[in-house]
Amino acid sequence: MIGTVWKPEEEILGALQNAKNIFVVGCGGCAKVARSGGQLEVDKMVKLLESNGKNIIAAGVPERTCYIQFVRTFFDPKMSELKECDAVLVLGCGGAVQVVRQATEEYGLVKHVYSGLNSVGHMDTIVPGEYFLEQCSECGDCVLNLTGAICPVTKCSKGLLNGPCGGSKDGKCEVDPERDCAWVLIYERLKALGQLENVSTYWEPKDYSKAARPRKLVF
Amino acid sequence: MKLCDLFEKGKFVVTGEAAPPKGTNTAKMLSEAAPLKDMVDAVNITDNQSAVVKMGSLAASRCLKDNGIEPVYQLTCRDRNRLAIQSDLLSAAALGIENVLCLTGDHVSLGDHPHAKAVYDLDSVQLLKIASGLNHGKDSSGNELDGSTDFCLGAVVSPCTEPVEMQVIKLEKKIEAGACFIQTQAVYDTRLLEDFMNRLARRNITVPVMVGIVFIKSASMANYMNKNVAGIEVPETIIKEFENTPGDGLKAKSLEITIGLVNAYKDMCQGIHFMPLGWTDMVPEVLKSTGLRP
């Protein structure tokens, strides 16, 4: 899922300073799981905005706000509110914000679309409801088959490919003593699997053209 | 003078270290390096060490060379992508730099610009491989150069960092990639160094190894390094010795400890790399007392 957290309230209110009538849109996908854009958080945002003098013209949670068809389904019965609002505030990832903007443009509307969240990475659910961790950078050139299914590109703070740097101390990363050194984890796992030879040979510099943005999938 | 030529002649190589200034005034760097002139074979110039912005190591290396001291130009992967790194290496060759020490580089979060974007387009093994390529007249995309570099390339290793086997695996890759000398993180434990050197011997690693020694200035500094500096383990016995030394005797104690370490190490390795942290004036005395220099 895409991890998201609330922007500081003052930043949200700053973005909305010239807007009186607000349409709040959450997301029933990742942002719901991340507790930043589900129904509970949309309700909380409505209260916050109302207590700051805003008029909430509509509020709701599409099934997935990064899917254009779900956003259309959500907006179709609320067209008058959408036309009437001064701004749409989206509690979803940066992609969701842009899909909402796309929807408003498809309706021929010129609307301010603002984001209430910061997107903080591709998150895996390690402990349901409690602990989420970024483990994949979507680099376009997966190396997990060689590293015992532990990603050095993401879990090493320097993204090193040929082994640990000199900054590893007691198996922890120099950036954060709470964080395991990815290369110590990789070493231990490959040793247990009898595959240390995977990291004993030279790895070429990564092909970052595969991560050149924006990327797309076309069918 | 390339360090590899000295090793080939069988010389026990000694290097020191100096940090470029935080600013444009090179006076302090040069005065710190001055006691090393004609005493050591070369002086490492650090590259934005600890991710703190300083004068560039290339300019400072050239500055040292102009003052009659052979530099070892340190180059990290933290701040430059592969274009910038190759460009800097070509520039270094043009400025007469002969020795390059290739490092990963401390993470930006540790320095004075923690909000900067860390680059690490390459790692230290890839940097060595690419620098070797420049020595052979090719850039990293295989394009021909109009004029090759001719660097003596060095690499680092941390003998006290567990798992040591992974350190050695990476070291082997560095040597395969073109490192012709090795500089270690500071070591204070003779037994540990012996184990490490035996480990290299078992794997038929014969590239010259220079053992690093940071001059310990006090018990609190040793404790700080143990807690905060990766790969450094100062034994409790050394810390106790500093604890039992009055303030005005600390430098003499540091000298005594360093001489003891060098005497213990000198038959196990091919060189010593001193990291004096300002106490460069101690280096000549260490060298004379250990018989490494007349």
Side-chain angles (χ1 to χ4, degrees):
Chain A
M1 69 173 209
I2 308 298
T4 43
V5 296
W6 272 35
K7 281 180 174 290
E9 289 178 8
E10 57 271 25
E11 188 183 335
I12 297 170
L13 294 171
L16 296 172
Q17 61 182 328
N18 296 321
K20 172 74 180 168
N21 300 311
I22 315 292
F23 194 139
V24 180
V25 179
C27 171
C30 307
K32 177 184 172 188
V33 181
R35 301 184 187 184
S36 58
Q39 191 62 52
L40 281 176
E41 294 77 28
V42 166
D43 292 346
K44 187 177 152 203
M45 179 59 73
V46 166
K47 281 197 182 106
L48 172 75
L49 295 179
E50 283 176 341
S51 69
N52 281 276
K54 304 295 183 190
N55 177 43
I56 306 305
I57 213 155
V61 181
E63 188 172 342
R64 294 282 186 283
T65 311
C66 63
Y67 288 21
I68 184 65
Q69 74 274 30
F70 287 133
V71 176
R72 288 178 190 140
T73 305
F74 173 77
F75 276 138
D76 280 345
K78 299 182 179 67
M79 199 46 57
S80 61
E81 291 93 332
L82 188 60
K83 282 181 178 158
E84 204 181 325
C85 75
D86 301 320
V88 181
L89 179 69
V90 182
L91 299 184
C93 69
V97 175
Q98 296 181 69
V99 170
V100 168
R101 191 256 308 138
Q102 177 194 334
T104 62
E105 288 175 345
E106 286 177 358
Y107 294 126
L109 302 172
V110 180
K111 288 287 166 190
H112 293 288
V113 178
Y114 294 118
S115 173
L117 307 183
N118 285 322
S119 300
V120 294
H122 171 153
M123 294 287 162
D124 297 326
T125 307
I126 308 300
V127 181
E130 287 180 31
Y131 184 56
F132 303 91
L133 182 64
E134 184 178 30
Q135 299 192 109
C136 170
S137 307
E138 302 151 342
C139 69
D141 191 13
C142 188
V143 298
L144 289 170
N145 290 351
L146 294 170
T147 57
I150 296 168
C151 177
V153 177
T154 310
K155 300 185 91 161
C156 167
S157 60
K158 301 175 184 176
L160 305 179
L161 295 178
N162 278 290
C165 70
S168 170
K169 193 169 178 69
D170 303 324
K172 301 294 179 182
C173 176
E174 74 177 19
V175 171
D176 176 2
E178 299 292 308
R179 189 196 301 172
D180 290 326
C181 167
W183 273 101
V184 172
L185 297 178
I186 291 168
Y187 165 80
E188 285 169 353
R189 181 148 173 87
L190 290 180
K191 189 161 187 175
L193 292 168
Q195 288 186 312
L196 263 183
E197 73 277 3
N198 287 2
V199 291
S200 300
T201 49
Y202 174 69
W203 285 28
E204 292 285 345
K206 206 155 177 57
D207 177 0
Y208 284 103
S209 70
K210 290 177 177 165
R213 287 175 169 144
R215 291 176 284 179
K216 60 188 171 188
L217 293 173
V218 181
F219 301 106
Chain B
M1 172 63 87
K2 291 200 278 184
L3 296 188
C4 48
D5 293 340
L6 299 178
F7 286 119
E8 257 172 45
K9 287 177 190 160
K11 188 171 186 192
F12 190 89
V13 173
V14 178
T15 52
E17 189 163 297
K22 179 84 178 176
T24 58
N25 184 356
T26 55
K28 184 162 173 268
M29 173 183 79
L30 292 173
S31 70
E32 270 185 23
L36 302 174
K37 191 174 179 178
D38 303 325
M39 292 301 297
V40 300
D41 297 296
V43 173
N44 278 226
I45 295 294
T46 51
D47 176 13
N48 291 337
Q49 190 176 18
S50 306
V52 170
V53 169
K54 299 283 189 77
M55 177 186 288
S57 54
L58 176 52
S61 292
R62 175 64 206 217
C63 195
L64 220 62
K65 203 172 173 73
D66 289 343
N67 283 270
I69 300 172
E70 187 64 41
V72 175
Y73 165 45
Q74 290 196 3
L75 184 61
T76 72
C77 301
R78 177 192 53 235
D79 307 322
R80 307 160 186 85
N81 69 6
R82 64 195 80 175
L83 276 82
I85 278 189
Q86 292 181 94
S87 177
D88 280 2
L89 282 166
L90 296 177
S91 303
L95 291 171
I97 304 302
E98 295 182 271
N99 302 294
V100 183
L101 189 74
C102 300
L103 307 107
T104 307
D106 298 322
H107 197 270
V108 293
S109 63
L110 308 180
D112 65 353
H113 288 67
H115 299 134
K117 182 176 184 179
V119 181
Y120 301 114
D121 180 29
L122 304 173
D123 63 31
S124 53
V125 182
Q126 293 157 352
L127 168 56
L128 281 156
K129 181 98 169 175
I130 286 173
S132 296
L134 300 181
N135 277 351
H136 290 97
K138 294 261 174 83
D139 73 11
S140 68
S141 287
N143 300 306
E144 293 279 345
L145 300 177
D146 182 7
S148 308
T149 62
D150 185 23
F151 295 123
C152 164
L153 299 170
V156 296
V157 70
S158 190
C160 307
T161 296
E162 293 290 347
V164 179
E165 187 181 16
M166 192 65 232
Q167 286 289 320
V168 175
I169 288 172
K170 189 166 184 183
L171 180 64
E172 281 181 320
K173 294 208 265 188
K174 288 178 175 184
I175 294 165
E176 186 70 22
C180 56
F181 73 95
I182 306 301
Q183 194 173 288
T184 77
Q185 176 58 292
V187 181
Y188 297 98
D189 185 328
T190 308
R191 176 72 65 81
L192 201 145
L193 180 65
E194 198 173 4
D195 288 348
F196 183 74
M197 296 306 291
N198 286 338
R199 198 184 271 267
L200 300 193
R202 283 199 298 275
R203 295 176 87 115
N204 298 316
I205 294 176
T206 55
V207 170
V209 174
M210 307 184 69
V211 178
I213 301 176
V214 173
F215 287 177
I216 300 174
K217 298 181 174 183
S218 64
S220 60
M221 176 195 165
N223 284 320
Y224 178 86
M225 290 200 299
N226 279 353
K227 187 162 181 278
N228 299 298
V229 182
I232 293 190
E233 302 286 342
V234 184
E236 202 54 37
T237 49
I238 292 183
I239 295 175
K240 279 272 178 310
E241 284 197 55
F242 276 97
E243 277 172 355
N244 296 329
T245 303
D248 59 358
L250 289 174
K251 200 162 182 181
K253 175 55 71 180
S254 181
L255 179 65
E256 178 197 325
I257 297 274
T258 307
I259 288 169
L261 292 173
V262 173
N263 278 328
Y265 296 168
K266 65 185 182 184
D267 294 327
M268 282 192 255
C269 59
Q270 291 71 45
I272 299 280
H273 173 63
F274 293 111
M275 292 167 268
L277 305 180
W279 282 5
T280 46
D281 57 329
M282 218 170 84
V283 172
E285 212 164 336
V286 172
L287 294 175
K288 283 174 192 160
S289 300
T290 52
L292 290 178
R293 294 292 183 270

